[in-house]
Amino acid sequence: MGKTAIILGITGITGKLLAQSILADATYDKLISFHRRKSGLEHPKLEEQVVDLFELKKQKDAFKADVVFCCIGTTQSKTEDKEQYKAIDYGIPLAAARLCKENGIPKFIVISALGADPDSRVFYNKVKGEMERDILALNLPEAYFLEPALLAADRDEKRTAEQLAIKAFKVFNGFLVGPLKKYQSIKPEALVIAMKKLAVSRYPDARIESDKIKELAYGDA
């Protein structure tokens, strides 16, 4: 029997790439997606659960797998209300982690952000840090937090400032070396490769910063 994976955030750019990779992987017999709207993906191994993610705890009976990938996340430009923002970036991953605990799912892999820190004065970083802290407190068998820097991806929606930053980082990446290497922009494909590797092996650290994500995905090259 192959493995079953759960994904949250299949409609985002990284989540969609991850889902496509899992569906093409013979290691997995089933991919269960929990989301609020149809993904647009069609595959015999894909089981879509269109649900209210703010009530994820009600999905305990269906939330059963070998590994859970959490690609949930919003931006302050899309979600200006701070309570709503925290409900998404903190509440949904924590609810998923609790279901992992209750249902004995051994691996939980989450996309967080570089600079995540519960004591940060930056709201975005503080929320991500609180999410990491409170999930770690559940003492799951394995929980990993990928902390990427700026994601260099082509998006459907317009994010002018972000696209300008991506172009700038193409120039500056070469100057970000040594301790600054973790601030280089990163492609979503690297996250996908790293997450899939974590699903089948152990890693010594729960928090994996951007440069270490690249090393995990591609080696030291």
Side-chain angles (χ1 to χ4, degrees), residues 63-82:
F63 205 92
K64 294 177 181 177
D66 299 287
V67 58
V68 174
F69 300 100
C70 185
C71 305
I72 286 289
T74 186
T75 64
Q76 287 178 281
S77 61
K78 289 176 66 175
T79 310
E80 294 182 2
D81 182 271
K82 289 187 175 181

Side-chain angles (χ1 to χ4, degrees), residues 53-57 63 90-100 108 135:
L53 290 177
F54 296 125
E55 295 292 335
L56 192 61
K57 62 184 178 181
F63 205 92
Y90 170 87
I92 295 173
L94 182 59
R98 286 173 174 158
L99 286 176
C100 287
F108 186 53
I135 289 174

Side-chain angles (χ1 to χ4, degrees), residues 13-82:
I13 188 161
T14 304
K16 187 174 183 180
L17 287 172
L18 176 62
Q20 291 170 333
S21 181
I22 291 171
L23 291 171
D25 189 338
T27 304
Y28 296 91
D29 283 345
K30 182 189 287 188
L31 176 64
I32 307 171
S33 174
F34 292 86
H35 46 255
R36 61 184 178 84
R37 58 186 171 87
K38 295 287 285 184
S39 68
L41 295 177
E42 298 288 342
H43 197 282
K45 293 198 294 189
L46 178 61
E47 177 184 308
E48 295 195 85
Q49 298 280 345
V50 180
V51 301
D52 180 358
L53 290 177
F54 296 125
E55 295 292 335
L56 192 61
K57 62 184 178 181
K58 295 180 180 179
Q59 306 303 317
K60 181 179 178 180
D61 290 343
F63 205 92
K64 294 177 181 177
D66 299 287
V67 58
V68 174
F69 300 100
C70 185
C71 305
I72 286 289
T74 186
T75 64
Q76 287 178 281
S77 61
K78 289 176 66 175
T79 310
E80 294 182 2
D81 182 271
K82 289 187 175 181

